Amino acid sequence: MIIHSGGKQCNCGGEGCYECYASATALINSVNKVVKEPLDAFQIFEKENIERPEVRSEIDKWIDEIITGLINVIYIFNPPLIVLGGGIMNEDYIIDLIDRKIYNKLMDNFRNVNIVRSRLGNDAALLGVSYQAAKL
């Protein structure tokens, strides 16, 4: 999904793709541009890092990118539920900020969507693939 026409070059060959702005890799890259020592996705959310204003600012911009993509999906499909998966989606700060911001940006007719984190965390995709493989 293109969220920034003419934006960052993506590995897929396109420009401005959601992946370039809203992935864990995008967060890591943006945070590591403003800090002296390289941090991985989980280190970014450690108390001593997330409380740093420059780190928090990058996280908040990244969450705004996630929200932009979610709004597009909601407007296209009008789903009753969106499940956010992946390891860092287990961070309370992410889900809390998405909840606080997204509903104010959605048109009234689309505010019935429930956004939750996956109970399976980072294992959701692996379990889904395993299930599909078992059916073969």
Side-chain angles (χ1 to χ4, degrees):
M1 175 171 44
I2 307 298
I3 62 169
H4 293 276
S5 180
K8 295 177 186 176
Q9 185 68 42
C10 184
N11 290 333
C12 76
E15 294 176 342
C17 299
Y18 193 47
E19 175 75 15
C20 294
Y21 296 89
S23 65
T25 301
L27 174 63
I28 292 166
N29 291 339
S30 69
V31 167
N32 285 332
K33 286 180 183 174
V34 300
V35 297
K36 293 182 181 179
E37 71 288 345
L39 301 172
D40 67 29
F42 296 103
Q43 290 170 324
I44 289 169
F45 289 94
E46 290 175 355
K47 185 174 173 37
E48 67 271 8
N49 291 320
I50 197 170
E51 290 180 352
R52 295 165 63 181
E54 69 275 18
V55 172
R56 179 71 63 98
S57 173
E58 293 303 312
I59 294 169
D60 291 353
K61 287 187 254 181
W62 175 74
I63 290 172
D64 286 341
E65 298 291 355
I66 291 172
I67 289 170
T68 297
L70 290 175
I71 288 171
N72 282 304
V73 169
I74 292 166
Y75 285 166
I76 293 168
F77 297 108
N78 196 17
L81 174 69
I82 293 179
V83 180
L84 301 176
I88 63 172
M89 283 300 162
N90 285 325
E91 298 294 335
D92 290 333
Y93 183 77
I94 297 171
I95 297 297
D96 291 346
L97 191 55
I98 289 171
D99 275 345
R100 281 197 315 262
K101 288 181 140 187
I102 195 166
Y103 295 104
N104 293 330
K105 294 182 178 200
L106 288 169
M107 294 184 331
D108 290 343
N109 296 0
F110 293 91
R111 289 186 183 154
N112 62 337
V113 63
N114 189 15
I115 300 171
V116 299
R117 75 179 106 206
S118 168
R119 287 189 219 149
L120 300 174
N122 213 23
D123 294 332
L126 178 63
L127 291 171
V129 168
S130 300
Y131 175 77
Q132 289 299 320
K135 289 175 45 177
L136 295 176

PDB file of all heavy atoms in Angstrom, residues 4 59-75 97-113 115:
ATOM      1  N   HIS A   4       2.801   7.328   0.816  1.00  0.00           N
ATOM      2  CA  HIS A   4       3.506   8.583   0.520  1.00  0.00           C
ATOM      3  C   HIS A   4       3.936   8.541  -0.946  1.00  0.00           C
ATOM      4  O   HIS A   4       4.968   7.960  -1.275  1.00  0.00           O
ATOM      5  CB  HIS A   4       4.753   8.748   1.403  1.00  0.00           C
ATOM      6  CG  HIS A   4       4.453   8.946   2.845  1.00  0.00           C
ATOM      7  ND1 HIS A   4       4.146  10.178   3.369  1.00  0.00           N
ATOM      8  CD2 HIS A   4       4.410   8.074   3.880  1.00  0.00           C
ATOM      9  CE1 HIS A   4       3.933  10.049   4.669  1.00  0.00           C
ATOM     10  NE2 HIS A   4       4.079   8.782   4.998  1.00  0.00           N
ATOM     11  N   ILE A  59       9.042   7.396  17.810  1.00  0.00           N
ATOM     12  CA  ILE A  59       7.998   6.390  18.023  1.00  0.00           C
ATOM     13  C   ILE A  59       6.632   6.974  17.671  1.00  0.00           C
ATOM     14  O   ILE A  59       5.834   6.343  16.974  1.00  0.00           O
ATOM     15  CB  ILE A  59       7.999   5.879  19.477  1.00  0.00           C
ATOM     16  CG1 ILE A  59       9.281   5.108  19.779  1.00  0.00           C
ATOM     17  CG2 ILE A  59       6.766   5.003  19.746  1.00  0.00           C
ATOM     18  CD1 ILE A  59       9.479   4.796  21.256  1.00  0.00           C
ATOM     19  N   ASP A  60       6.366   8.183  18.134  1.00  0.00           N
ATOM     20  CA  ASP A  60       5.072   8.811  17.865  1.00  0.00           C
ATOM     21  C   ASP A  60       4.846   9.057  16.379  1.00  0.00           C
ATOM     22  O   ASP A  60       3.737   8.849  15.864  1.00  0.00           O
ATOM     23  CB  ASP A  60       4.938  10.110  18.659  1.00  0.00           C
ATOM     24  CG  ASP A  60       4.809   9.872  20.166  1.00  0.00           C
ATOM     25  OD1 ASP A  60       4.696   8.700  20.589  1.00  0.00           O
ATOM     26  OD2 ASP A  60       4.828  10.863  20.915  1.00  0.00           O
ATOM     27  N   LYS A  61       5.892   9.469  15.666  1.00  0.00           N
ATOM     28  CA  LYS A  61       5.772   9.642  14.202  1.00  0.00           C
ATOM     29  C   LYS A  61       5.498   8.301  13.531  1.00  0.00           C
ATOM     30  O   LYS A  61       4.690   8.205  12.612  1.00  0.00           O
ATOM     31  CB  LYS A  61       7.040  10.281  13.633  1.00  0.00           C
ATOM     32  CG  LYS A  61       7.184  11.746  13.949  1.00  0.00           C
ATOM     33  CD  LYS A  61       8.364  12.337  13.197  1.00  0.00           C
ATOM     34  CE  LYS A  61       9.487  12.581  14.157  1.00  0.00           C
ATOM     35  NZ  LYS A  61      10.681  13.174  13.560  1.00  0.00           N
ATOM     36  N   TRP A  62       6.176   7.263  13.997  1.00  0.00           N
ATOM     37  CA  TRP A  62       5.993   5.916  13.456  1.00  0.00           C
ATOM     38  C   TRP A  62       4.561   5.432  13.689  1.00  0.00           C
ATOM     39  O   TRP A  62       3.928   4.875  12.788  1.00  0.00           O
ATOM     40  CB  TRP A  62       7.019   4.988  14.110  1.00  0.00           C
ATOM     41  CG  TRP A  62       6.907   3.548  13.778  1.00  0.00           C
ATOM     42  CD1 TRP A  62       7.255   2.940  12.605  1.00  0.00           C
ATOM     43  CD2 TRP A  62       6.442   2.515  14.655  1.00  0.00           C
ATOM     44  NE1 TRP A  62       7.033   1.582  12.700  1.00  0.00           N
ATOM     45  CE2 TRP A  62       6.541   1.302  13.946  1.00  0.00           C
ATOM     46  CE3 TRP A  62       5.985   2.501  15.960  1.00  0.00           C
ATOM     47  CZ2 TRP A  62       6.178   0.092  14.511  1.00  0.00           C
ATOM     48  CZ3 TRP A  62       5.614   1.286  16.520  1.00  0.00           C
ATOM     49  CH2 TRP A  62       5.715   0.103  15.790  1.00  0.00           C
ATOM     50  N   ILE A  63       4.031   5.680  14.880  1.00  0.00           N
ATOM     51  CA  ILE A  63       2.655   5.286  15.175  1.00  0.00           C
ATOM     52  C   ILE A  63       1.681   6.050  14.284  1.00  0.00           C
ATOM     53  O   ILE A  63       0.684   5.484  13.813  1.00  0.00           O
ATOM     54  CB  ILE A  63       2.339   5.454  16.674  1.00  0.00           C
ATOM     55  CG1 ILE A  63       3.112   4.395  17.469  1.00  0.00           C
ATOM     56  CG2 ILE A  63       0.837   5.374  16.946  1.00  0.00           C
ATOM     57  CD1 ILE A  63       3.054   4.543  18.974  1.00  0.00           C
ATOM     58  N   ASP A  64       1.952   7.306  14.003  1.00  0.00           N
ATOM     59  CA  ASP A  64       1.109   8.060  13.068  1.00  0.00           C
ATOM     60  C   ASP A  64       1.098   7.411  11.683  1.00  0.00           C
ATOM     61  O   ASP A  64       0.063   7.400  11.006  1.00  0.00           O
ATOM     62  CB  ASP A  64       1.565   9.513  12.962  1.00  0.00           C
ATOM     63  CG  ASP A  64       1.208  10.336  14.187  1.00  0.00           C
ATOM     64  OD1 ASP A  64       0.308   9.919  14.963  1.00  0.00           O
ATOM     65  OD2 ASP A  64       1.829  11.401  14.376  1.00  0.00           O
ATOM     66  N   GLU A  65       2.229   6.865  11.266  1.00  0.00           N
ATOM     67  CA  GLU A  65       2.288   6.152   9.978  1.00  0.00           C
ATOM     68  C   GLU A  65       1.447   4.877  10.036  1.00  0.00           C
ATOM     69  O   GLU A  65       0.727   4.555   9.081  1.00  0.00           O
ATOM     70  CB  GLU A  65       3.732   5.823   9.598  1.00  0.00           C
ATOM     71  CG  GLU A  65       4.620   7.025   9.397  1.00  0.00           C
ATOM     72  CD  GLU A  65       4.283   7.857   8.170  1.00  0.00           C
ATOM     73  OE1 GLU A  65       3.404   7.478   7.369  1.00  0.00           O
ATOM     74  OE2 GLU A  65       4.929   8.901   7.999  1.00  0.00           O
ATOM     75  N   ILE A  66       1.527   4.160  11.140  1.00  0.00           N
ATOM     76  CA  ILE A  66       0.695   2.960  11.307  1.00  0.00           C
ATOM     77  C   ILE A  66      -0.777   3.348  11.205  1.00  0.00           C
ATOM     78  O   ILE A  66      -1.566   2.699  10.505  1.00  0.00           O
ATOM     79  CB  ILE A  66       0.974   2.274  12.662  1.00  0.00           C
ATOM     80  CG1 ILE A  66       2.379   1.666  12.664  1.00  0.00           C
ATOM     81  CG2 ILE A  66      -0.083   1.211  12.972  1.00  0.00           C
ATOM     82  CD1 ILE A  66       2.821   1.140  14.013  1.00  0.00           C
ATOM     83  N   ILE A  67      -1.147   4.414  11.878  1.00  0.00           N
ATOM     84  CA  ILE A  67      -2.539   4.875  11.870  1.00  0.00           C
ATOM     85  C   ILE A  67      -2.986   5.239  10.460  1.00  0.00           C
ATOM     86  O   ILE A  67      -4.105   4.910  10.056  1.00  0.00           O
ATOM     87  CB  ILE A  67      -2.710   6.044  12.854  1.00  0.00           C
ATOM     88  CG1 ILE A  67      -2.607   5.524  14.294  1.00  0.00           C
ATOM     89  CG2 ILE A  67      -4.030   6.776  12.627  1.00  0.00           C
ATOM     90  CD1 ILE A  67      -2.527   6.606  15.352  1.00  0.00           C
ATOM     91  N   THR A  68      -2.135   5.887   9.692  1.00  0.00           N
ATOM     92  CA  THR A  68      -2.484   6.240   8.309  1.00  0.00           C
ATOM     93  C   THR A  68      -2.856   4.996   7.512  1.00  0.00           C
ATOM     94  O   THR A  68      -3.874   4.963   6.816  1.00  0.00           O
ATOM     95  CB  THR A  68      -1.317   6.974   7.626  1.00  0.00           C
ATOM     96  OG1 THR A  68      -1.080   8.193   8.319  1.00  0.00           O
ATOM     97  CG2 THR A  68      -1.607   7.255   6.164  1.00  0.00           C
ATOM     98  N   GLY A  69      -2.050   3.959   7.616  1.00  0.00           N
ATOM     99  CA  GLY A  69      -2.345   2.714   6.913  1.00  0.00           C
ATOM    100  C   GLY A  69      -3.610   2.047   7.415  1.00  0.00           C
ATOM    101  O   GLY A  69      -4.429   1.556   6.630  1.00  0.00           O
ATOM    102  N   LEU A  70      -3.783   2.031   8.736  1.00  0.00           N
ATOM    103  CA  LEU A  70      -4.982   1.423   9.304  1.00  0.00           C
ATOM    104  C   LEU A  70      -6.248   2.141   8.843  1.00  0.00           C
ATOM    105  O   LEU A  70      -7.248   1.496   8.527  1.00  0.00           O
ATOM    106  CB  LEU A  70      -4.905   1.423  10.834  1.00  0.00           C
ATOM    107  CG  LEU A  70      -3.882   0.478  11.461  1.00  0.00           C
ATOM    108  CD1 LEU A  70      -3.834   0.680  12.971  1.00  0.00           C
ATOM    109  CD2 LEU A  70      -4.178  -0.973  11.107  1.00  0.00           C
ATOM    110  N   ILE A  71      -6.190   3.451   8.808  1.00  0.00           N
ATOM    111  CA  ILE A  71      -7.355   4.214   8.351  1.00  0.00           C
ATOM    112  C   ILE A  71      -7.706   3.838   6.908  1.00  0.00           C
ATOM    113  O   ILE A  71      -8.877   3.654   6.570  1.00  0.00           O
ATOM    114  CB  ILE A  71      -7.121   5.724   8.514  1.00  0.00           C
ATOM    115  CG1 ILE A  71      -7.169   6.091   9.996  1.00  0.00           C
ATOM    116  CG2 ILE A  71      -8.141   6.535   7.719  1.00  0.00           C
ATOM    117  CD1 ILE A  71      -6.744   7.508  10.313  1.00  0.00           C
ATOM    118  N   ASN A  72      -6.698   3.703   6.058  1.00  0.00           N
ATOM    119  CA  ASN A  72      -6.964   3.291   4.672  1.00  0.00           C
ATOM    120  C   ASN A  72      -7.629   1.926   4.615  1.00  0.00           C
ATOM    121  O   ASN A  72      -8.604   1.732   3.881  1.00  0.00           O
ATOM    122  CB  ASN A  72      -5.661   3.280   3.863  1.00  0.00           C
ATOM    123  CG  ASN A  72      -5.237   4.659   3.461  1.00  0.00           C
ATOM    124  OD1 ASN A  72      -5.985   5.381   2.826  1.00  0.00           O
ATOM    125  ND2 ASN A  72      -4.034   5.035   3.834  1.00  0.00           N
ATOM    126  N   VAL A  73      -7.132   0.981   5.386  1.00  0.00           N
ATOM    127  CA  VAL A  73      -7.713  -0.365   5.415  1.00  0.00           C
ATOM    128  C   VAL A  73      -9.152  -0.306   5.940  1.00  0.00           C
ATOM    129  O   VAL A  73     -10.056  -0.938   5.383  1.00  0.00           O
ATOM    130  CB  VAL A  73      -6.841  -1.310   6.273  1.00  0.00           C
ATOM    131  CG1 VAL A  73      -7.547  -2.626   6.557  1.00  0.00           C
ATOM    132  CG2 VAL A  73      -5.495  -1.563   5.596  1.00  0.00           C
ATOM    133  N   ILE A  74      -9.356   0.465   6.980  1.00  0.00           N
ATOM    134  CA  ILE A  74     -10.702   0.589   7.557  1.00  0.00           C
ATOM    135  C   ILE A  74     -11.666   1.197   6.547  1.00  0.00           C
ATOM    136  O   ILE A  74     -12.796   0.709   6.379  1.00  0.00           O
ATOM    137  CB  ILE A  74     -10.656   1.413   8.863  1.00  0.00           C
ATOM    138  CG1 ILE A  74      -9.908   0.626   9.952  1.00  0.00           C
ATOM    139  CG2 ILE A  74     -12.062   1.789   9.325  1.00  0.00           C
ATOM    140  CD1 ILE A  74      -9.496   1.453  11.162  1.00  0.00           C
ATOM    141  N   TYR A  75     -11.255   2.238   5.844  1.00  0.00           N
ATOM    142  CA  TYR A  75     -12.142   2.874   4.866  1.00  0.00           C
ATOM    143  C   TYR A  75     -12.425   1.965   3.668  1.00  0.00           C
ATOM    144  O   TYR A  75     -13.506   2.031   3.088  1.00  0.00           O
ATOM    145  CB  TYR A  75     -11.568   4.199   4.391  1.00  0.00           C
ATOM    146  CG  TYR A  75     -11.682   5.330   5.404  1.00  0.00           C
ATOM    147  CD1 TYR A  75     -10.955   6.491   5.238  1.00  0.00           C
ATOM    148  CD2 TYR A  75     -12.514   5.245   6.502  1.00  0.00           C
ATOM    149  CE1 TYR A  75     -11.058   7.542   6.150  1.00  0.00           C
ATOM    150  CE2 TYR A  75     -12.627   6.274   7.423  1.00  0.00           C
ATOM    151  CZ  TYR A  75     -11.903   7.422   7.240  1.00  0.00           C
ATOM    152  OH  TYR A  75     -12.004   8.454   8.140  1.00  0.00           O
ATOM    153  N   LEU A  97      -1.524   4.394  22.306  1.00  0.00           N
ATOM    154  CA  LEU A  97      -1.484   5.603  21.484  1.00  0.00           C
ATOM    155  C   LEU A  97      -2.339   5.447  20.221  1.00  0.00           C
ATOM    156  O   LEU A  97      -3.031   6.382  19.821  1.00  0.00           O
ATOM    157  CB  LEU A  97      -0.046   5.970  21.116  1.00  0.00           C
ATOM    158  CG  LEU A  97       0.149   7.347  20.496  1.00  0.00           C
ATOM    159  CD1 LEU A  97      -0.422   8.452  21.384  1.00  0.00           C
ATOM    160  CD2 LEU A  97       1.619   7.610  20.236  1.00  0.00           C
ATOM    161  N   ILE A  98      -2.314   4.266  19.622  1.00  0.00           N
ATOM    162  CA  ILE A  98      -3.183   4.025  18.466  1.00  0.00           C
ATOM    163  C   ILE A  98      -4.634   4.220  18.878  1.00  0.00           C
ATOM    164  O   ILE A  98      -5.399   4.910  18.194  1.00  0.00           O
ATOM    165  CB  ILE A  98      -2.942   2.626  17.860  1.00  0.00           C
ATOM    166  CG1 ILE A  98      -1.587   2.577  17.150  1.00  0.00           C
ATOM    167  CG2 ILE A  98      -4.068   2.247  16.885  1.00  0.00           C
ATOM    168  CD1 ILE A  98      -1.155   1.192  16.695  1.00  0.00           C
ATOM    169  N   ASP A  99      -5.024   3.629  19.997  1.00  0.00           N
ATOM    170  CA  ASP A  99      -6.407   3.779  20.489  1.00  0.00           C
ATOM    171  C   ASP A  99      -6.762   5.237  20.742  1.00  0.00           C
ATOM    172  O   ASP A  99      -7.866   5.678  20.423  1.00  0.00           O
ATOM    173  CB  ASP A  99      -6.613   2.990  21.776  1.00  0.00           C
ATOM    174  CG  ASP A  99      -6.969   1.540  21.533  1.00  0.00           C
ATOM    175  OD1 ASP A  99      -7.328   1.194  20.397  1.00  0.00           O
ATOM    176  OD2 ASP A  99      -6.885   0.758  22.491  1.00  0.00           O
ATOM    177  N   ARG A 100      -5.859   5.993  21.334  1.00  0.00           N
ATOM    178  CA  ARG A 100      -6.149   7.400  21.650  1.00  0.00           C
ATOM    179  C   ARG A 100      -6.276   8.254  20.398  1.00  0.00           C
ATOM    180  O   ARG A 100      -7.046   9.201  20.365  1.00  0.00           O
ATOM    181  CB  ARG A 100      -5.048   7.980  22.542  1.00  0.00           C
ATOM    182  CG  ARG A 100      -5.165   7.585  23.983  1.00  0.00           C
ATOM    183  CD  ARG A 100      -4.348   8.479  24.904  1.00  0.00           C
ATOM    184  NE  ARG A 100      -3.003   8.768  24.457  1.00  0.00           N
ATOM    185  CZ  ARG A 100      -1.904   8.133  24.868  1.00  0.00           C
ATOM    186  NH1 ARG A 100      -2.012   7.145  25.725  1.00  0.00           N
ATOM    187  NH2 ARG A 100      -0.717   8.480  24.422  1.00  0.00           N
ATOM    188  N   LYS A 101      -5.536   7.912  19.354  1.00  0.00           N
ATOM    189  CA  LYS A 101      -5.485   8.790  18.187  1.00  0.00           C
ATOM    190  C   LYS A 101      -6.408   8.394  17.040  1.00  0.00           C
ATOM    191  O   LYS A 101      -6.984   9.248  16.379  1.00  0.00           O
ATOM    192  CB  LYS A 101      -4.042   8.846  17.643  1.00  0.00           C
ATOM    193  CG  LYS A 101      -3.096   9.622  18.508  1.00  0.00           C
ATOM    194  CD  LYS A 101      -1.725   9.638  17.873  1.00  0.00           C
ATOM    195  CE  LYS A 101      -1.088  10.993  18.020  1.00  0.00           C
ATOM    196  NZ  LYS A 101       0.170  11.081  17.276  1.00  0.00           N
ATOM    197  N   ILE A 102      -6.535   7.113  16.767  1.00  0.00           N
ATOM    198  CA  ILE A 102      -7.182   6.694  15.519  1.00  0.00           C
ATOM    199  C   ILE A 102      -8.671   7.036  15.480  1.00  0.00           C
ATOM    200  O   ILE A 102      -9.185   7.463  14.449  1.00  0.00           O
ATOM    201  CB  ILE A 102      -6.954   5.201  15.226  1.00  0.00           C
ATOM    202  CG1 ILE A 102      -7.314   4.912  13.758  1.00  0.00           C
ATOM    203  CG2 ILE A 102      -7.716   4.315  16.189  1.00  0.00           C
ATOM    204  CD1 ILE A 102      -6.825   3.588  13.255  1.00  0.00           C
ATOM    205  N   TYR A 103      -9.363   6.865  16.572  1.00  0.00           N
ATOM    206  CA  TYR A 103     -10.810   7.076  16.546  1.00  0.00           C
ATOM    207  C   TYR A 103     -11.173   8.543  16.307  1.00  0.00           C
ATOM    208  O   TYR A 103     -12.226   8.836  15.762  1.00  0.00           O
ATOM    209  CB  TYR A 103     -11.456   6.515  17.813  1.00  0.00           C
ATOM    210  CG  TYR A 103     -11.299   5.009  17.872  1.00  0.00           C
ATOM    211  CD1 TYR A 103     -10.368   4.421  18.723  1.00  0.00           C
ATOM    212  CD2 TYR A 103     -12.033   4.181  17.033  1.00  0.00           C
ATOM    213  CE1 TYR A 103     -10.194   3.042  18.751  1.00  0.00           C
ATOM    214  CE2 TYR A 103     -11.872   2.801  17.049  1.00  0.00           C
ATOM    215  CZ  TYR A 103     -10.953   2.237  17.907  1.00  0.00           C
ATOM    216  OH  TYR A 103     -10.780   0.883  17.921  1.00  0.00           O
ATOM    217  N   ASN A 104     -10.292   9.452  16.694  1.00  0.00           N
ATOM    218  CA  ASN A 104     -10.524  10.874  16.414  1.00  0.00           C
ATOM    219  C   ASN A 104     -10.322  11.202  14.942  1.00  0.00           C
ATOM    220  O   ASN A 104     -10.828  12.216  14.460  1.00  0.00           O
ATOM    221  CB  ASN A 104      -9.584  11.747  17.247  1.00  0.00           C
ATOM    222  CG  ASN A 104      -9.900  11.673  18.713  1.00  0.00           C
ATOM    223  OD1 ASN A 104     -11.043  11.472  19.103  1.00  0.00           O
ATOM    224  ND2 ASN A 104      -8.892  11.813  19.548  1.00  0.00           N
ATOM    225  N   LYS A 105      -9.584  10.368  14.235  1.00  0.00           N
ATOM    226  CA  LYS A 105      -9.301  10.626  12.823  1.00  0.00           C
ATOM    227  C   LYS A 105     -10.285   9.932  11.892  1.00  0.00           C
ATOM    228  O   LYS A 105     -10.352  10.255  10.713  1.00  0.00           O
ATOM    229  CB  LYS A 105      -7.874  10.182  12.486  1.00  0.00           C
ATOM    230  CG  LYS A 105      -6.830  11.007  13.207  1.00  0.00           C
ATOM    231  CD  LYS A 105      -5.433  10.584  12.812  1.00  0.00           C
ATOM    232  CE  LYS A 105      -4.421  11.469  13.505  1.00  0.00           C
ATOM    233  NZ  LYS A 105      -3.133  11.434  12.856  1.00  0.00           N
ATOM    234  N   LEU A 106     -11.016   8.960  12.411  1.00  0.00           N
ATOM    235  CA  LEU A 106     -11.965   8.203  11.584  1.00  0.00           C
ATOM    236  C   LEU A 106     -13.294   8.943  11.457  1.00  0.00           C
ATOM    237  O   LEU A 106     -13.761   9.571  12.403  1.00  0.00           O
ATOM    238  CB  LEU A 106     -12.233   6.829  12.203  1.00  0.00           C
ATOM    239  CG  LEU A 106     -11.115   5.806  12.117  1.00  0.00           C
ATOM    240  CD1 LEU A 106     -11.432   4.612  13.017  1.00  0.00           C
ATOM    241  CD2 LEU A 106     -10.897   5.351  10.685  1.00  0.00           C
ATOM    242  N   MET A 107     -13.914   8.807  10.285  1.00  0.00           N
ATOM    243  CA  MET A 107     -15.278   9.318  10.108  1.00  0.00           C
ATOM    244  C   MET A 107     -16.202   8.512  11.030  1.00  0.00           C
ATOM    245  O   MET A 107     -15.937   7.340  11.324  1.00  0.00           O
ATOM    246  CB  MET A 107     -15.711   9.171   8.652  1.00  0.00           C
ATOM    247  CG  MET A 107     -14.916  10.038   7.712  1.00  0.00           C
ATOM    248  SD  MET A 107     -15.431  10.034   5.970  1.00  0.00           S
ATOM    249  CE  MET A 107     -16.140   8.456   5.679  1.00  0.00           C
ATOM    250  N   ASP A 108     -17.265   9.142  11.472  1.00  0.00           N
ATOM    251  CA  ASP A 108     -18.175   8.523  12.434  1.00  0.00           C
ATOM    252  C   ASP A 108     -18.616   7.118  12.029  1.00  0.00           C
ATOM    253  O   ASP A 108     -18.687   6.215  12.859  1.00  0.00           O
ATOM    254  CB  ASP A 108     -19.417   9.394  12.650  1.00  0.00           C
ATOM    255  CG  ASP A 108     -19.101  10.668  13.408  1.00  0.00           C
ATOM    256  OD1 ASP A 108     -18.031  10.748  14.044  1.00  0.00           O
ATOM    257  OD2 ASP A 108     -19.925  11.600  13.346  1.00  0.00           O
ATOM    258  N   ASN A 109     -18.920   6.922  10.767  1.00  0.00           N
ATOM    259  CA  ASN A 109     -19.444   5.633  10.286  1.00  0.00           C
ATOM    260  C   ASN A 109     -18.446   4.487  10.417  1.00  0.00           C
ATOM    261  O   ASN A 109     -18.828   3.330  10.276  1.00  0.00           O
ATOM    262  CB  ASN A 109     -19.865   5.736   8.819  1.00  0.00           C
ATOM    263  CG  ASN A 109     -20.992   6.692   8.610  1.00  0.00           C
ATOM    264  OD1 ASN A 109     -21.487   7.305   9.547  1.00  0.00           O
ATOM    265  ND2 ASN A 109     -21.422   6.834   7.380  1.00  0.00           N
ATOM    266  N   PHE A 110     -17.192   4.794  10.660  1.00  0.00           N
ATOM    267  CA  PHE A 110     -16.151   3.765  10.693  1.00  0.00           C
ATOM    268  C   PHE A 110     -15.561   3.559  12.081  1.00  0.00           C
ATOM    269  O   PHE A 110     -14.631   2.777  12.252  1.00  0.00           O
ATOM    270  CB  PHE A 110     -15.035   4.129   9.713  1.00  0.00           C
ATOM    271  CG  PHE A 110     -15.478   4.088   8.282  1.00  0.00           C
ATOM    272  CD1 PHE A 110     -15.978   5.220   7.663  1.00  0.00           C
ATOM    273  CD2 PHE A 110     -15.414   2.916   7.556  1.00  0.00           C
ATOM    274  CE1 PHE A 110     -16.389   5.190   6.347  1.00  0.00           C
ATOM    275  CE2 PHE A 110     -15.831   2.867   6.237  1.00  0.00           C
ATOM    276  CZ  PHE A 110     -16.319   4.008   5.626  1.00  0.00           C
ATOM    277  N   ARG A 111     -16.097   4.220  13.080  1.00  0.00           N
ATOM    278  CA  ARG A 111     -15.517   4.145  14.426  1.00  0.00           C
ATOM    279  C   ARG A 111     -15.910   2.888  15.194  1.00  0.00           C
ATOM    280  O   ARG A 111     -15.498   2.715  16.337  1.00  0.00           O
ATOM    281  CB  ARG A 111     -15.914   5.384  15.229  1.00  0.00           C
ATOM    282  CG  ARG A 111     -15.222   6.618  14.739  1.00  0.00           C
ATOM    283  CD  ARG A 111     -15.495   7.802  15.616  1.00  0.00           C
ATOM    284  NE  ARG A 111     -14.845   8.970  15.041  1.00  0.00           N
ATOM    285  CZ  ARG A 111     -15.239  10.199  15.221  1.00  0.00           C
ATOM    286  NH1 ARG A 111     -16.282  10.447  15.995  1.00  0.00           N
ATOM    287  NH2 ARG A 111     -14.598  11.192  14.658  1.00  0.00           N
ATOM    288  N   ASN A 112     -16.666   2.000  14.580  1.00  0.00           N
ATOM    289  CA  ASN A 112     -17.066   0.780  15.274  1.00  0.00           C
ATOM    290  C   ASN A 112     -16.004  -0.314  15.212  1.00  0.00           C
ATOM    291  O   ASN A 112     -16.167  -1.368  15.802  1.00  0.00           O
ATOM    292  CB  ASN A 112     -18.386   0.259  14.708  1.00  0.00           C
ATOM    293  CG  ASN A 112     -18.258  -0.113  13.244  1.00  0.00           C
ATOM    294  OD1 ASN A 112     -17.373   0.380  12.543  1.00  0.00           O
ATOM    295  ND2 ASN A 112     -19.137  -0.967  12.769  1.00  0.00           N
ATOM    296  N   VAL A 113     -14.899  -0.074  14.534  1.00  0.00           N
ATOM    297  CA  VAL A 113     -13.842  -1.074  14.430  1.00  0.00           C
ATOM    298  C   VAL A 113     -13.141  -1.234  15.781  1.00  0.00           C
ATOM    299  O   VAL A 113     -12.907  -0.266  16.494  1.00  0.00           O
ATOM    300  CB  VAL A 113     -12.814  -0.702  13.323  1.00  0.00           C
ATOM    301  CG1 VAL A 113     -12.102   0.594  13.647  1.00  0.00           C
ATOM    302  CG2 VAL A 113     -11.823  -1.832  13.094  1.00  0.00           C
ATOM    303  N   ILE A 115      -9.741  -2.455  17.539  1.00  0.00           N
ATOM    304  CA  ILE A 115      -8.329  -2.708  17.230  1.00  0.00           C
ATOM    305  C   ILE A 115      -7.682  -3.322  18.459  1.00  0.00           C
ATOM    306  O   ILE A 115      -7.690  -2.731  19.544  1.00  0.00           O
ATOM    307  CB  ILE A 115      -7.619  -1.412  16.812  1.00  0.00           C
ATOM    308  CG1 ILE A 115      -8.296  -0.828  15.572  1.00  0.00           C
ATOM    309  CG2 ILE A 115      -6.133  -1.684  16.547  1.00  0.00           C
ATOM    310  CD1 ILE A 115      -7.815   0.548  15.185  1.00  0.00           C
TER     311      ILE A 115
END
